Amino acid sequence: MTSATNPSPAYLNQLDAETGRRMETAQAPASPYAGAAAKLAAAVEAQVDALAADLNDVVHTLHGDPETAYEEHRSAAFLVELLRRHGIKAELGVHGLPTAIRAEIGSASAPLDAGTDSEPAIAILSEYDALPEVGHACGHNVIAATGAGAFIALAKTLEENPEAFPGRVVFLGTPAEEGHSGKEVMARNGAFDDVDAAIMVHPYAMDLAEQVWLGRRLLTVTFSGVAAHASAQPFMGRNALDAASLAYSAIGLLRQQLPPVDRVHAIITEGGQRPSVIPEKAVMKLYARSKYPETLKDLSSRLEDIARGAALMTGTGVSIDWDEHPPSLPVLRRAVADEFAAAGGPVDVARYFD
């Protein structure tokens, strides 16, 4: 028995070194907005400090009891109870999802129509789903704490000074970020119709104003063949696993011609039951990623061609099923960069592929 070789960290070490040099000289992009007045910022920070015990409890409780996408019932209930304990009316099971949360604070006279020139409305988001098997390895328990903490701190500030800031702040607990798109479901059910902007943070190894996220689509390819005895009458079969194997190999060859911003990950989740029977069904799951909508569209087309070509070569049928969720894009990066810089830390504006 042999063991897998250890991948070299040379590239990551080089990337970290280059990032460090960039952060020493990088200038955060200027924002046209002055941000909160110093007195208001200090008042909010004091409220956050007072919430330290509660927020630590959120981090550790969710970490110790991870729940995957659309199953975050205990996590969502825990956050709702936290909000209610601080005197905030919170709703659970909103915008089409039983584990989504909504709460609001601010001026009762604030307009419900986003984009107006009067009092603004901003949404603060919290995620709280975990990864299958490994739990909160992506830190959504931290996202839950930061979003809820910011919202409660603003609510406390407004209690002490009803004129502290105009407009409304909406708290949205957004389920199913890992491998799904709860925000998309919520958006289709009106969650963002009455807000002008939405903001959240994600834990990372350093402060970044913009991470170069790759748009992602999920693809399921199902090959349908004809079962036959692999020894007695193999010529009477049509091997679905052969089709999946050809497609997997073709994706590997395609990578030679992909631009640096593209990624394809594929696995074969079903490929037969017994070696003695030619598989009549094989299933592939794929992630297609790219930086731009145009290149993601092109990559998607290439993958469809591969699937159809593999089916043609093996005499099998093929079903190509894309997920229905569009990719998400970052916003408000310049204003966020200014806030990071004001907090005293170096800010890298982007990382990877820029």
Side-chain angles (χ1 to χ4, degrees):
M1 177 179 177
T2 60
S3 300
T5 60
N6 291 322
S8 169
Y11 176 73
L12 292 178
N13 293 340
Q14 182 66 25
L15 187 65
D16 286 340
E18 292 177 1
T19 300
R21 290 193 292 270
R22 287 177 54 186
M23 291 180 69
E24 291 176 357
T25 59
Q27 297 294 320
S31 170
Y33 304 102
K39 184 177 180 180
L40 175 58
V44 175
E45 288 179 11
Q47 295 291 352
V48 171
D49 290 341
L51 291 167
D54 279 343
L55 302 185
N56 281 328
D57 193 25
V58 172
V59 170
H60 293 291
T61 298
L62 269 60
H63 185 273
D65 186 19
E67 297 171 293
T68 54
Y70 296 121
E71 301 297 330
E72 317 93 336
H73 299 286
R74 294 183 300 277
S75 299
F78 184 85
L79 291 172
V80 167
E81 176 57 30
L82 173 67
L83 293 169
R84 291 174 178 170
R85 194 163 68 245
H86 285 280
I88 299 168
K89 181 181 178 181
E91 299 177 84
L92 177 61
V94 293
H95 303 302
L97 292 176
T99 53
I101 305 168
R102 185 181 182 101
E104 295 188 26
I105 58 172
S107 171
S109 63
L112 293 179
D113 296 325
T116 64
D117 294 329
S118 52
E119 293 179 314
I122 187 169
I124 298 176
L125 312 185
S126 277
E127 297 171 0
Y128 33 87
D129 64 323
L131 288 160
E133 299 182 9
V134 295
H136 279 290
C138 202
H140 289 197
N141 55 323
V142 178
I143 299 175
T146 55
F151 183 75
I152 296 171
L154 288 171
K156 297 290 187 180
T157 302
L158 202 62
E159 284 179 9
E160 294 186 355
N161 178 12
E163 305 299 324
F165 54 86
R168 294 179 300 117
V169 181
V170 179
F171 174 79
L172 291 175
T174 58
E177 170 64 20
E178 298 290 3
H180 298 274
S181 186
K183 295 184 185 68
E184 172 65 17
V185 176
M186 294 176 68
R188 294 180 182 183
N189 286 279
F192 301 96
D193 288 353
D194 59 348
V195 299
D196 296 284
I199 191 170
M200 60 168 283
V201 296
H202 197 292
Y204 201 64
M206 61 192 71
D207 288 341
L208 293 180
E210 179 184 0
Q211 169 78 15
V212 181
W213 300 107
L214 301 184
R216 183 192 66 182
R217 298 186 71 190
L218 280 64
L219 172 62
T220 301
V221 179
T222 303
F223 295 101
S224 302
V226 177
H229 195 284
S231 177
Q233 294 183 329
F235 46 86
M236 295 302 294
R238 293 291 182 266
N239 196 318
L241 180 59
D242 283 352
S245 178
L246 284 168
Y248 190 89
S249 297
I251 290 168
L253 296 174
L254 173 66
R255 289 191 179 99
Q256 298 177 47
Q257 281 77 51
L258 292 181
V261 293
D262 284 9
R263 297 285 188 271
V264 181
H265 336 294
I267 58 172
I268 299 174
T269 59
E270 187 175 342
Q273 302 298 320
R274 296 175 63 88
S276 60
V277 179
I278 289 177
E280 64 178 338
K281 180 181 179 182
V283 179
M284 297 183 70
K285 300 283 188 180
L286 301 93
Y287 283 7
R289 301 182 192 261
S290 193
K291 184 176 179 180
Y292 308 105
E294 296 82 3
T295 53
L296 184 57
K297 181 179 179 180
D298 181 65
L299 176 59
S300 301
S301 178
R302 299 291 299 276
L303 293 175
E304 289 188 8
D305 287 345
I306 285 174
R308 294 191 183 98
L312 181 63
M313 286 188 286
T314 55
T316 58
V318 63
S319 173
I320 300 171
D321 299 302
W322 289 99
D323 73 301
E324 61 181 16
H325 304 302
S328 301
L329 298 175
V331 294
L332 297 179
R333 60 184 179 272
R334 292 183 178 179
V336 171
D338 282 353
E339 292 301 320
F340 280 158
V347 180
D348 194 18
V349 177
R351 183 178 171 93
Y352 302 121
F353 308 126
D354 60 340

